[in-house]
Amino acid sequence: MLSSSGLMAAQPATNRTDSLSEQAEKAKLRVESEQLKKAREAAKQTEAREKKVLDRQESGDWESEQREKAQQQFNKRESRQEKYLREAKEAASRERKIPKPFE
């Protein structure tokens, strides 16, 4: 009897080990499946962004946008220079308000 009860105790431990390994395998497969799904979604999003950029470049919108930005920057720079020049001319044309030293 003693030997049969020892055998009985070994079987549940083996079943528990099998159950744990099955659970681990299922968890591994679930995680792999989720990762694959995420990777596919990311690939789709990347492909969509690439297509959008290529469409913009092919239509010429990108070039015209860049030209427009450059023109705006040039105009801002030019108006700043004009402002500084105007202020400098005004300052130069003003009479000096500094009193002459007493002699």
Side-chain angles (χ1 to χ4, degrees):
M1 275 264 192
L2 196 53
S3 64
S4 66
S5 66
L7 183 59
M8 295 289 251
Q11 286 178 346
T14 305
N15 288 341
R16 243 182 293 141
T17 304
D18 290 344
S19 175
L20 289 175
S21 65
E22 287 175 7
Q23 288 177 357
E25 185 66 26
K26 287 179 184 177
K28 182 181 95 168
L29 292 174
R30 182 178 44 80
V31 168
E32 286 177 355
S33 174
E34 289 173 5
Q35 288 176 342
L36 183 59
K37 184 178 179 181
K38 288 179 184 178
R40 285 183 181 145
E41 184 62 32
K44 285 180 186 177
Q45 290 175 358
T46 300
E47 187 178 333
R49 283 193 307 270
E50 288 174 350
K51 185 179 183 321
K52 184 178 175 182
V53 168
L54 287 174
D55 289 346
R56 276 183 49 207
Q57 286 179 345
E58 288 175 0
S59 68
D61 290 344
W62 181 82
E63 287 182 36
S64 62
E65 286 175 12
Q66 296 305 312
R67 278 193 209 105
E68 188 175 320
K69 286 180 186 178
Q71 186 64 46
Q72 288 174 355
Q73 289 175 347
F74 177 78
N75 292 342
K76 285 180 183 178
R77 195 176 310 116
E78 188 177 36
S79 65
R80 250 192 331 265
Q81 288 173 346
E82 289 173 359
K83 175 186 160 195
Y84 296 148
L85 184 59
R86 185 185 73 245
E87 289 175 354
K89 285 180 182 178
E90 289 173 2
S93 68
R94 281 191 226 131
E95 264 187 55
R96 301 275 185 240
K97 304 261 179 168
I98 301 172
K100 292 185 178 179
F102 295 109
E103 292 181 25

mmCIF file with all atom_site columns, all heavy atoms in Angstrom, residues 58-78:
data_model
loop_
_atom_site.group_PDB
_atom_site.id
_atom_site.type_symbol
_atom_site.label_atom_id
_atom_site.label_alt_id
_atom_site.label_comp_id
_atom_site.label_asym_id
_atom_site.label_entity_id
_atom_site.label_seq_id
_atom_site.pdbx_PDB_ins_code
_atom_site.Cartn_x
_atom_site.Cartn_y
_atom_site.Cartn_z
_atom_site.occupancy
_atom_site.B_iso_or_equiv
_atom_site.pdbx_formal_charge
_atom_site.auth_seq_id
_atom_site.auth_comp_id
_atom_site.auth_asym_id
_atom_site.auth_atom_id
_atom_site.pdbx_PDB_model_num
ATOM 1   N N   . GLU A 1 58 ? 4.575  63.757 -55.400 1.00 0.00 ? 58 GLU A N   1
ATOM 2   C CA  . GLU A 1 58 ? 4.262  63.601 -56.821 1.00 0.00 ? 58 GLU A CA  1
ATOM 3   C C   . GLU A 1 58 ? 3.363  64.718 -57.330 1.00 0.00 ? 58 GLU A C   1
ATOM 4   O O   . GLU A 1 58 ? 3.477  65.146 -58.471 1.00 0.00 ? 58 GLU A O   1
ATOM 5   C CB  . GLU A 1 58 ? 3.611  62.240 -57.075 1.00 0.00 ? 58 GLU A CB  1
ATOM 6   C CG  . GLU A 1 58 ? 4.583  61.082 -56.961 1.00 0.00 ? 58 GLU A CG  1
ATOM 7   C CD  . GLU A 1 58 ? 3.920  59.727 -57.093 1.00 0.00 ? 58 GLU A CD  1
ATOM 8   O OE1 . GLU A 1 58 ? 2.689  59.673 -57.273 1.00 0.00 ? 58 GLU A OE1 1
ATOM 9   O OE2 . GLU A 1 58 ? 4.632  58.719 -57.019 1.00 0.00 ? 58 GLU A OE2 1
ATOM 10  N N   . SER A 1 59 ? 2.454  65.185 -56.482 1.00 0.00 ? 59 SER A N   1
ATOM 11  C CA  . SER A 1 59 ? 1.523  66.217 -56.925 1.00 0.00 ? 59 SER A CA  1
ATOM 12  C C   . SER A 1 59 ? 2.174  67.598 -56.959 1.00 0.00 ? 59 SER A C   1
ATOM 13  O O   . SER A 1 59 ? 1.597  68.536 -57.501 1.00 0.00 ? 59 SER A O   1
ATOM 14  C CB  . SER A 1 59 ? 0.294  66.243 -56.016 1.00 0.00 ? 59 SER A CB  1
ATOM 15  O OG  . SER A 1 59 ? 0.662  66.691 -54.728 1.00 0.00 ? 59 SER A OG  1
ATOM 16  N N   . GLY A 1 60 ? 3.341  67.744 -56.407 1.00 0.00 ? 60 GLY A N   1
ATOM 17  C CA  . GLY A 1 60 ? 4.021  69.028 -56.417 1.00 0.00 ? 60 GLY A CA  1
ATOM 18  C C   . GLY A 1 60 ? 3.632  69.912 -55.248 1.00 0.00 ? 60 GLY A C   1
ATOM 19  O O   . GLY A 1 60 ? 4.146  71.018 -55.111 1.00 0.00 ? 60 GLY A O   1
ATOM 20  N N   . ASP A 1 61 ? 2.704  69.473 -54.423 1.00 0.00 ? 61 ASP A N   1
ATOM 21  C CA  . ASP A 1 61 ? 2.283  70.270 -53.270 1.00 0.00 ? 61 ASP A CA  1
ATOM 22  C C   . ASP A 1 61 ? 3.455  70.521 -52.328 1.00 0.00 ? 61 ASP A C   1
ATOM 23  O O   . ASP A 1 61 ? 3.600  71.615 -51.790 1.00 0.00 ? 61 ASP A O   1
ATOM 24  C CB  . ASP A 1 61 ? 1.160  69.578 -52.498 1.00 0.00 ? 61 ASP A CB  1
ATOM 25  C CG  . ASP A 1 61 ? -0.149 69.563 -53.260 1.00 0.00 ? 61 ASP A CG  1
ATOM 26  O OD1 . ASP A 1 61 ? -0.278 70.339 -54.227 1.00 0.00 ? 61 ASP A OD1 1
ATOM 27  O OD2 . ASP A 1 61 ? -1.039 68.781 -52.890 1.00 0.00 ? 61 ASP A OD2 1
ATOM 28  N N   . TRP A 1 62 ? 4.268  69.526 -52.156 1.00 0.00 ? 62 TRP A N   1
ATOM 29  C CA  . TRP A 1 62 ? 5.389  69.643 -51.223 1.00 0.00 ? 62 TRP A CA  1
ATOM 30  C C   . TRP A 1 62 ? 6.327  70.760 -51.664 1.00 0.00 ? 62 TRP A C   1
ATOM 31  O O   . TRP A 1 62 ? 6.729  71.598 -50.862 1.00 0.00 ? 62 TRP A O   1
ATOM 32  C CB  . TRP A 1 62 ? 6.122  68.313 -51.139 1.00 0.00 ? 62 TRP A CB  1
ATOM 33  C CG  . TRP A 1 62 ? 7.265  68.336 -50.178 1.00 0.00 ? 62 TRP A CG  1
ATOM 34  C CD1 . TRP A 1 62 ? 7.195  68.182 -48.824 1.00 0.00 ? 62 TRP A CD1 1
ATOM 35  C CD2 . TRP A 1 62 ? 8.644  68.536 -50.480 1.00 0.00 ? 62 TRP A CD2 1
ATOM 36  N NE1 . TRP A 1 62 ? 8.444  68.276 -48.274 1.00 0.00 ? 62 TRP A NE1 1
ATOM 37  C CE2 . TRP A 1 62 ? 9.351  68.489 -49.254 1.00 0.00 ? 62 TRP A CE2 1
ATOM 38  C CE3 . TRP A 1 62 ? 9.348  68.743 -51.659 1.00 0.00 ? 62 TRP A CE3 1
ATOM 39  C CZ2 . TRP A 1 62 ? 10.728 68.654 -49.203 1.00 0.00 ? 62 TRP A CZ2 1
ATOM 40  C CZ3 . TRP A 1 62 ? 10.710 68.901 -51.593 1.00 0.00 ? 62 TRP A CZ3 1
ATOM 41  C CH2 . TRP A 1 62 ? 11.386 68.854 -50.382 1.00 0.00 ? 62 TRP A CH2 1
ATOM 42  N N   . GLU A 1 63 ? 6.654  70.773 -52.949 1.00 0.00 ? 63 GLU A N   1
ATOM 43  C CA  . GLU A 1 63 ? 7.561  71.799 -53.459 1.00 0.00 ? 63 GLU A CA  1
ATOM 44  C C   . GLU A 1 63 ? 6.955  73.187 -53.321 1.00 0.00 ? 63 GLU A C   1
ATOM 45  O O   . GLU A 1 63 ? 7.632  74.132 -52.910 1.00 0.00 ? 63 GLU A O   1
ATOM 46  C CB  . GLU A 1 63 ? 7.906  71.524 -54.924 1.00 0.00 ? 63 GLU A CB  1
ATOM 47  C CG  . GLU A 1 63 ? 8.852  70.360 -55.114 1.00 0.00 ? 63 GLU A CG  1
ATOM 48  C CD  . GLU A 1 63 ? 9.207  70.143 -56.568 1.00 0.00 ? 63 GLU A CD  1
ATOM 49  O OE1 . GLU A 1 63 ? 9.336  71.135 -57.308 1.00 0.00 ? 63 GLU A OE1 1
ATOM 50  O OE2 . GLU A 1 63 ? 9.347  68.981 -56.960 1.00 0.00 ? 63 GLU A OE2 1
ATOM 51  N N   . SER A 1 64 ? 5.693  73.305 -53.648 1.00 0.00 ? 64 SER A N   1
ATOM 52  C CA  . SER A 1 64 ? 5.063  74.621 -53.549 1.00 0.00 ? 64 SER A CA  1
ATOM 53  C C   . SER A 1 64 ? 4.969  75.067 -52.087 1.00 0.00 ? 64 SER A C   1
ATOM 54  O O   . SER A 1 64 ? 5.147  76.252 -51.792 1.00 0.00 ? 64 SER A O   1
ATOM 55  C CB  . SER A 1 64 ? 3.680  74.615 -54.202 1.00 0.00 ? 64 SER A CB  1
ATOM 56  O OG  . SER A 1 64 ? 2.818  73.720 -53.549 1.00 0.00 ? 64 SER A OG  1
ATOM 57  N N   . GLU A 1 65 ? 4.712  74.143 -51.180 1.00 0.00 ? 65 GLU A N   1
ATOM 58  C CA  . GLU A 1 65 ? 4.691  74.484 -49.758 1.00 0.00 ? 65 GLU A CA  1
ATOM 59  C C   . GLU A 1 65 ? 6.057  74.983 -49.303 1.00 0.00 ? 65 GLU A C   1
ATOM 60  O O   . GLU A 1 65 ? 6.154  75.965 -48.562 1.00 0.00 ? 65 GLU A O   1
ATOM 61  C CB  . GLU A 1 65 ? 4.291  73.271 -48.913 1.00 0.00 ? 65 GLU A CB  1
ATOM 62  C CG  . GLU A 1 65 ? 2.836  72.901 -48.986 1.00 0.00 ? 65 GLU A CG  1
ATOM 63  C CD  . GLU A 1 65 ? 2.520  71.618 -48.215 1.00 0.00 ? 65 GLU A CD  1
ATOM 64  O OE1 . GLU A 1 65 ? 3.386  71.151 -47.438 1.00 0.00 ? 65 GLU A OE1 1
ATOM 65  O OE2 . GLU A 1 65 ? 1.413  71.098 -48.395 1.00 0.00 ? 65 GLU A OE2 1
ATOM 66  N N   . GLN A 1 66 ? 7.107  74.308 -49.742 1.00 0.00 ? 66 GLN A N   1
ATOM 67  C CA  . GLN A 1 66 ? 8.463  74.708 -49.363 1.00 0.00 ? 66 GLN A CA  1
ATOM 68  C C   . GLN A 1 66 ? 8.812  76.080 -49.935 1.00 0.00 ? 66 GLN A C   1
ATOM 69  O O   . GLN A 1 66 ? 9.428  76.910 -49.257 1.00 0.00 ? 66 GLN A O   1
ATOM 70  C CB  . GLN A 1 66 ? 9.485  73.655 -49.808 1.00 0.00 ? 66 GLN A CB  1
ATOM 71  C CG  . GLN A 1 66 ? 9.315  72.313 -49.140 1.00 0.00 ? 66 GLN A CG  1
ATOM 72  C CD  . GLN A 1 66 ? 9.322  72.404 -47.634 1.00 0.00 ? 66 GLN A CD  1
ATOM 73  O OE1 . GLN A 1 66 ? 10.176 73.045 -47.042 1.00 0.00 ? 66 GLN A OE1 1
ATOM 74  N NE2 . GLN A 1 66 ? 8.354  71.776 -46.994 1.00 0.00 ? 66 GLN A NE2 1
ATOM 75  N N   . ARG A 1 67 ? 8.430  76.327 -51.171 1.00 0.00 ? 67 ARG A N   1
ATOM 76  C CA  . ARG A 1 67 ? 8.677  77.641 -51.775 1.00 0.00 ? 67 ARG A CA  1
ATOM 77  C C   . ARG A 1 67 ? 7.941  78.741 -51.012 1.00 0.00 ? 67 ARG A C   1
ATOM 78  O O   . ARG A 1 67 ? 8.487  79.809 -50.760 1.00 0.00 ? 67 ARG A O   1
ATOM 79  C CB  . ARG A 1 67 ? 8.228  77.649 -53.244 1.00 0.00 ? 67 ARG A CB  1
ATOM 80  C CG  . ARG A 1 67 ? 9.232  77.075 -54.182 1.00 0.00 ? 67 ARG A CG  1
ATOM 81  C CD  . ARG A 1 67 ? 8.879  77.404 -55.627 1.00 0.00 ? 67 ARG A CD  1
ATOM 82  N NE  . ARG A 1 67 ? 9.392  76.364 -56.471 1.00 0.00 ? 67 ARG A NE  1
ATOM 83  C CZ  . ARG A 1 67 ? 8.676  75.413 -57.059 1.00 0.00 ? 67 ARG A CZ  1
ATOM 84  N NH1 . ARG A 1 67 ? 7.383  75.404 -56.951 1.00 0.00 ? 67 ARG A NH1 1
ATOM 85  N NH2 . ARG A 1 67 ? 9.250  74.487 -57.788 1.00 0.00 ? 67 ARG A NH2 1
ATOM 86  N N   . GLU A 1 68 ? 6.691  78.453 -50.666 1.00 0.00 ? 68 GLU A N   1
ATOM 87  C CA  . GLU A 1 68 ? 5.881  79.428 -49.940 1.00 0.00 ? 68 GLU A CA  1
ATOM 88  C C   . GLU A 1 68 ? 6.495  79.737 -48.568 1.00 0.00 ? 68 GLU A C   1
ATOM 89  O O   . GLU A 1 68 ? 6.583  80.902 -48.166 1.00 0.00 ? 68 GLU A O   1
ATOM 90  C CB  . GLU A 1 68 ? 4.457  78.895 -49.766 1.00 0.00 ? 68 GLU A CB  1
ATOM 91  C CG  . GLU A 1 68 ? 3.492  79.903 -49.208 1.00 0.00 ? 68 GLU A CG  1
ATOM 92  C CD  . GLU A 1 68 ? 2.075  79.366 -49.159 1.00 0.00 ? 68 GLU A CD  1
ATOM 93  O OE1 . GLU A 1 68 ? 1.654  78.671 -50.102 1.00 0.00 ? 68 GLU A OE1 1
ATOM 94  O OE2 . GLU A 1 68 ? 1.397  79.646 -48.158 1.00 0.00 ? 68 GLU A OE2 1
ATOM 95  N N   . LYS A 1 69 ? 6.928  78.695 -47.874 1.00 0.00 ? 69 LYS A N   1
ATOM 96  C CA  . LYS A 1 69 ? 7.572  78.904 -46.570 1.00 0.00 ? 69 LYS A CA  1
ATOM 97  C C   . LYS A 1 69 ? 8.835  79.750 -46.717 1.00 0.00 ? 69 LYS A C   1
ATOM 98  O O   . LYS A 1 69 ? 9.087  80.661 -45.922 1.00 0.00 ? 69 LYS A O   1
ATOM 99  C CB  . LYS A 1 69 ? 7.940  77.569 -45.926 1.00 0.00 ? 69 LYS A CB  1
ATOM 100 C CG  . LYS A 1 69 ? 6.769  76.809 -45.364 1.00 0.00 ? 69 LYS A CG  1
ATOM 101 C CD  . LYS A 1 69 ? 7.242  75.503 -44.761 1.00 0.00 ? 69 LYS A CD  1
ATOM 102 C CE  . LYS A 1 69 ? 6.088  74.638 -44.302 1.00 0.00 ? 69 LYS A CE  1
ATOM 103 N NZ  . LYS A 1 69 ? 6.565  73.347 -43.766 1.00 0.00 ? 69 LYS A NZ  1
ATOM 104 N N   . ALA A 1 70 ? 9.638  79.452 -47.721 1.00 0.00 ? 70 ALA A N   1
ATOM 105 C CA  . ALA A 1 70 ? 10.874 80.198 -47.952 1.00 0.00 ? 70 ALA A CA  1
ATOM 106 C C   . ALA A 1 70 ? 10.557 81.656 -48.266 1.00 0.00 ? 70 ALA A C   1
ATOM 107 O O   . ALA A 1 70 ? 11.240 82.567 -47.776 1.00 0.00 ? 70 ALA A O   1
ATOM 108 C CB  . ALA A 1 70 ? 11.675 79.564 -49.082 1.00 0.00 ? 70 ALA A CB  1
ATOM 109 N N   . GLN A 1 71 ? 9.536  81.906 -49.072 1.00 0.00 ? 71 GLN A N   1
ATOM 110 C CA  . GLN A 1 71 ? 9.151  83.272 -49.419 1.00 0.00 ? 71 GLN A CA  1
ATOM 111 C C   . GLN A 1 71 ? 8.683  84.029 -48.181 1.00 0.00 ? 71 GLN A C   1
ATOM 112 O O   . GLN A 1 71 ? 9.035  85.197 -47.979 1.00 0.00 ? 71 GLN A O   1
ATOM 113 C CB  . GLN A 1 71 ? 8.050  83.262 -50.486 1.00 0.00 ? 71 GLN A CB  1
ATOM 114 C CG  . GLN A 1 71 ? 7.687  84.642 -51.006 1.00 0.00 ? 71 GLN A CG  1
ATOM 115 C CD  . GLN A 1 71 ? 8.838  85.304 -51.736 1.00 0.00 ? 71 GLN A CD  1
ATOM 116 O OE1 . GLN A 1 71 ? 9.502  84.686 -52.556 1.00 0.00 ? 71 GLN A OE1 1
ATOM 117 N NE2 . GLN A 1 71 ? 9.091  86.566 -51.428 1.00 0.00 ? 71 GLN A NE2 1
ATOM 118 N N   . GLN A 1 72 ? 7.903  83.367 -47.322 1.00 0.00 ? 72 GLN A N   1
ATOM 119 C CA  . GLN A 1 72 ? 7.435  84.012 -46.093 1.00 0.00 ? 72 GLN A CA  1
ATOM 120 C C   . GLN A 1 72 ? 8.610  84.371 -45.183 1.00 0.00 ? 72 GLN A C   1
ATOM 121 O O   . GLN A 1 72 ? 8.651  85.471 -44.612 1.00 0.00 ? 72 GLN A O   1
ATOM 122 C CB  . GLN A 1 72 ? 6.459  83.098 -45.356 1.00 0.00 ? 72 GLN A CB  1
ATOM 123 C CG  . GLN A 1 72 ? 5.110  82.975 -46.018 1.00 0.00 ? 72 GLN A CG  1
ATOM 124 C CD  . GLN A 1 72 ? 4.219  81.939 -45.340 1.00 0.00 ? 72 GLN A CD  1
ATOM 125 O OE1 . GLN A 1 72 ? 4.648  81.237 -44.428 1.00 0.00 ? 72 GLN A OE1 1
ATOM 126 N NE2 . GLN A 1 72 ? 2.979  81.843 -45.791 1.00 0.00 ? 72 GLN A NE2 1
ATOM 127 N N   . GLN A 1 73 ? 9.554  83.470 -45.058 1.00 0.00 ? 73 GLN A N   1
ATOM 128 C CA  . GLN A 1 73 ? 10.729 83.744 -44.227 1.00 0.00 ? 73 GLN A CA  1
ATOM 129 C C   . GLN A 1 73 ? 11.529 84.916 -44.794 1.00 0.00 ? 73 GLN A C   1
ATOM 130 O O   . GLN A 1 73 ? 12.000 85.787 -44.060 1.00 0.00 ? 73 GLN A O   1
ATOM 131 C CB  . GLN A 1 73 ? 11.610 82.502 -44.121 1.00 0.00 ? 73 GLN A CB  1
ATOM 132 C CG  . GLN A 1 73 ? 11.016 81.412 -43.279 1.00 0.00 ? 73 GLN A CG  1
ATOM 133 C CD  . GLN A 1 73 ? 11.846 80.139 -43.293 1.00 0.00 ? 73 GLN A CD  1
ATOM 134 O OE1 . GLN A 1 73 ? 12.751 79.991 -44.116 1.00 0.00 ? 73 GLN A OE1 1
ATOM 135 N NE2 . GLN A 1 73 ? 11.541 79.222 -42.400 1.00 0.00 ? 73 GLN A NE2 1
ATOM 136 N N   . PHE A 1 74 ? 11.665 84.945 -46.113 1.00 0.00 ? 74 PHE A N   1
ATOM 137 C CA  . PHE A 1 74 ? 12.386 86.036 -46.765 1.00 0.00 ? 74 PHE A CA  1
ATOM 138 C C   . PHE A 1 74 ? 11.690 87.362 -46.511 1.00 0.00 ? 74 PHE A C   1
ATOM 139 O O   . PHE A 1 74 ? 12.335 88.364 -46.171 1.00 0.00 ? 74 PHE A O   1
ATOM 140 C CB  . PHE A 1 74 ? 12.493 85.764 -48.270 1.00 0.00 ? 74 PHE A CB  1
ATOM 141 C CG  . PHE A 1 74 ? 13.163 86.872 -49.030 1.00 0.00 ? 74 PHE A CG  1
ATOM 142 C CD1 . PHE A 1 74 ? 14.542 87.004 -49.017 1.00 0.00 ? 74 PHE A CD1 1
ATOM 143 C CD2 . PHE A 1 74 ? 12.409 87.785 -49.739 1.00 0.00 ? 74 PHE A CD2 1
ATOM 144 C CE1 . PHE A 1 74 ? 15.157 88.028 -49.709 1.00 0.00 ? 74 PHE A CE1 1
ATOM 145 C CE2 . PHE A 1 74 ? 13.011 88.815 -50.439 1.00 0.00 ? 74 PHE A CE2 1
ATOM 146 C CZ  . PHE A 1 74 ? 14.396 88.937 -50.427 1.00 0.00 ? 74 PHE A CZ  1
ATOM 147 N N   . ASN A 1 75 ? 10.369 87.377 -46.641 1.00 0.00 ? 75 ASN A N   1
ATOM 148 C CA  . ASN A 1 75 ? 9.604  88.608 -46.428 1.00 0.00 ? 75 ASN A CA  1
ATOM 149 C C   . ASN A 1 75 ? 9.731  89.095 -44.982 1.00 0.00 ? 75 ASN A C   1
ATOM 150 O O   . ASN A 1 75 ? 9.865  90.294 -44.737 1.00 0.00 ? 75 ASN A O   1
ATOM 151 C CB  . ASN A 1 75 ? 8.132  88.407 -46.786 1.00 0.00 ? 75 ASN A CB  1
ATOM 152 C CG  . ASN A 1 75 ? 7.926  88.202 -48.270 1.00 0.00 ? 75 ASN A CG  1
ATOM 153 O OD1 . ASN A 1 75 ? 8.789  88.520 -49.083 1.00 0.00 ? 75 ASN A OD1 1
ATOM 154 N ND2 . ASN A 1 75 ? 6.787  87.642 -48.637 1.00 0.00 ? 75 ASN A ND2 1
ATOM 155 N N   . LYS A 1 76 ? 9.670  88.170 -44.031 1.00 0.00 ? 76 LYS A N   1
ATOM 156 C CA  . LYS A 1 76 ? 9.824  88.553 -42.620 1.00 0.00 ? 76 LYS A CA  1
ATOM 157 C C   . LYS A 1 76 ? 11.204 89.157 -42.374 1.00 0.00 ? 76 LYS A C   1
ATOM 158 O O   . LYS A 1 76 ? 11.352 90.169 -41.695 1.00 0.00 ? 76 LYS A O   1
ATOM 159 C CB  . LYS A 1 76 ? 9.618  87.343 -41.705 1.00 0.00 ? 76 LYS A CB  1
ATOM 160 C CG  . LYS A 1 76 ? 8.188  86.930 -41.554 1.00 0.00 ? 76 LYS A CG  1
ATOM 161 C CD  . LYS A 1 76 ? 8.083  85.728 -40.635 1.00 0.00 ? 76 LYS A CD  1
ATOM 162 C CE  . LYS A 1 76 ? 6.661  85.238 -40.532 1.00 0.00 ? 76 LYS A CE  1
ATOM 163 N NZ  . LYS A 1 76 ? 6.549  84.044 -39.689 1.00 0.00 ? 76 LYS A NZ  1
ATOM 164 N N   . ARG A 1 77 ? 12.215 88.510 -42.921 1.00 0.00 ? 77 ARG A N   1
ATOM 165 C CA  . ARG A 1 77 ? 13.582 88.985 -42.744 1.00 0.00 ? 77 ARG A CA  1
ATOM 166 C C   . ARG A 1 77 ? 13.738 90.367 -43.366 1.00 0.00 ? 77 ARG A C   1
ATOM 167 O O   . ARG A 1 77 ? 14.330 91.280 -42.777 1.00 0.00 ? 77 ARG A O   1
ATOM 168 C CB  . ARG A 1 77 ? 14.562 87.996 -43.383 1.00 0.00 ? 77 ARG A CB  1
ATOM 169 C CG  . ARG A 1 77 ? 15.991 88.192 -42.960 1.00 0.00 ? 77 ARG A CG  1
ATOM 170 C CD  . ARG A 1 77 ? 16.918 87.132 -43.543 1.00 0.00 ? 77 ARG A CD  1
ATOM 171 N NE  . ARG A 1 77 ? 16.460 85.775 -43.347 1.00 0.00 ? 77 ARG A NE  1
ATOM 172 C CZ  . ARG A 1 77 ? 16.119 84.931 -44.336 1.00 0.00 ? 77 ARG A CZ  1
ATOM 173 N NH1 . ARG A 1 77 ? 16.194 85.298 -45.587 1.00 0.00 ? 77 ARG A NH1 1
ATOM 174 N NH2 . ARG A 1 77 ? 15.720 83.708 -44.071 1.00 0.00 ? 77 ARG A NH2 1
ATOM 175 N N   . GLU A 1 78 ? 13.180 90.553 -44.555 1.00 0.00 ? 78 GLU A N   1
ATOM 176 C CA  . GLU A 1 78 ? 13.286 91.821 -45.254 1.00 0.00 ? 78 GLU A CA  1
ATOM 177 C C   . GLU A 1 78 ? 12.565 92.933 -44.482 1.00 0.00 ? 78 GLU A C   1
ATOM 178 O O   . GLU A 1 78 ? 13.096 94.030 -44.324 1.00 0.00 ? 78 GLU A O   1
ATOM 179 C CB  . GLU A 1 78 ? 12.682 91.683 -46.658 1.00 0.00 ? 78 GLU A CB  1
ATOM 180 C CG  . GLU A 1 78 ? 12.895 92.884 -47.548 1.00 0.00 ? 78 GLU A CG  1
ATOM 181 C CD  . GLU A 1 78 ? 12.334 92.650 -48.935 1.00 0.00 ? 78 GLU A CD  1
ATOM 182 O OE1 . GLU A 1 78 ? 11.286 91.990 -49.060 1.00 0.00 ? 78 GLU A OE1 1
ATOM 183 O OE2 . GLU A 1 78 ? 12.944 93.149 -49.885 1.00 0.00 ? 78 GLU A OE2 1
#
